């Protein structure tokens, strides 16, 4: 309902702006703000539907930003933890940490992309399985500016595939 209302407001605002020869800065800012909120709502809903979360890392400052869905995948509320290098490492299953550290090192120091499937430890102690993809963004001189990551919780999908495989293998036909 909120998306429909935002869309309605954007359409009305665009009509008003088009009818003027030169829209005011305030009208342009209002239109962009409404549009930005609409896109943010769409992204949040899409991440929830796909059970995928995203993050951003600025290596110079060490700052990490997580989407709300990424917090949920790891079993946290957005106010429970501030994401950083150490928090992320603790969420990776101990048997997968060395591989993760190696990929992170290459990503940060060499500007390499990577994709990997990792086991995770959620806040409540349960284990999960994620598909993790990281892409660096470099400046014109080839220096790393930031990294963008996507995490897809594949725990249920893999469990369902395993169940189906076992059923198929045990069928005499």
């Amino acid at each position: 309902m909120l998306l429909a209302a935002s869309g309605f407001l954007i359409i009305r605002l665009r009509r008003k702006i088009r009818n003027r020869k030169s829209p005011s800065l305030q009208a342009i800012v209002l239109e962009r703000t409404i549009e930005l909120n609409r896109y943010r709502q769409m992204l949040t809903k899409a991440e929830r539907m796909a059970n995928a979360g995203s993050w951003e890392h600025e290596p110079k400052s060490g700052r990490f930003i997580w989407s709300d869905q990424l917090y949920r995948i790891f079993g946290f509320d957005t106010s429970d933890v501030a994401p950083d290098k150490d928090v992320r490492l603790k969420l990776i299953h101990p048997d997968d940490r060395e591989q993760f550290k190696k990929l992170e090192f290459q990503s940060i120091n060499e500007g390499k992309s990577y994709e990997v499937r990792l086991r995770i430890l959620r806040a409540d102690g349960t284990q999960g399985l994620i598909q993790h993809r990281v892409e660096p963004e470099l400046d014109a001189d080839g220096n790393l500016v930031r990294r963008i990551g996507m995490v897809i919780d594949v725990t249920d999908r893999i469990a369902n595939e395993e169940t189906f495989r076992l059923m198929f293998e045990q069928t005499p036909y």
Side-chain angles (χ1 to χ4, degrees):
M1 183 149 152
L2 194 55
L3 283 175
S6 296
F8 175 74
L9 288 173
I10 289 172
I11 291 169
R12 280 188 60 198
L13 188 57
R14 282 186 179 153
R15 283 184 190 146
K16 283 184 181 181
I17 290 172
R18 267 190 242 128
N19 291 339
R20 293 183 181 173
K21 289 188 178 180
S22 60
S24 70
L25 180 59
Q26 185 179 14
I28 293 169
V29 169
L30 179 60
E31 178 185 14
R32 296 293 183 234
T33 301
I34 291 170
E35 196 169 355
L36 179 62
N37 286 334
R38 183 171 174 220
Y39 287 130
R40 185 176 293 131
Q41 291 167 359
M42 287 172 39
L43 176 61
T44 299
K45 191 172 210 171
E47 281 190 348
R48 192 175 60 250
M49 292 168 59
N51 204 11
S54 55
W55 57 266
E56 180 180 290
H57 174 227
E58 295 173 351
K60 283 187 180 179
S61 68
R63 186 176 78 134
F64 279 93
I65 300 171
W66 284 8
S67 70
D68 290 351
Q69 184 62 26
L70 188 56
Y71 281 95
R72 285 189 283 276
I73 288 170
F74 287 115
F76 293 110
D77 187 73
T78 56
S79 62
D80 288 346
V81 66
D84 65 17
K85 184 175 84 170
D86 296 328
V87 168
R88 292 177 72 230
L89 189 59
K90 289 177 185 172
L91 295 171
I92 304 301
H93 190 281
D95 294 342
D96 293 348
R97 284 183 189 155
E98 283 306 312
Q99 178 187 20
F100 178 70
K101 286 181 354 186
K102 179 182 174 189
L103 291 168
E104 283 287 284
F105 179 85
Q106 290 175 338
S107 176
I108 293 169
N109 295 308
E110 301 170 20
K112 289 189 177 183
S113 299
Y114 72 86
E115 185 167 354
V116 65
R117 186 169 287 174
L118 298 165
R119 292 169 288 175
I120 60 169
L121 303 173
R122 294 192 175 95
D124 64 3
T126 61
Q127 289 188 27
L129 190 62
I130 59 169
Q131 191 71 27
H132 187 207
R133 183 174 184 160
V134 177
E135 291 189 9
E137 290 184 5
L138 308 175
D139 64 17
D141 296 326
N143 300 312
L144 182 64
V145 176
R146 84 173 133 239
R147 300 179 313 130
I148 306 294
M150 178 71 143
V151 172
I152 303 170
D153 186 345
V154 294
T155 308
D156 292 339
R157 186 182 79 192
I158 298 302
N160 290 339
E161 288 174 3
E162 182 65 16
T163 300
F164 182 75
R165 185 187 62 77
L166 290 172
M167 287 174 36
F168 183 75
E169 288 176 356
Q170 294 175 2
T171 302
Y173 300 104

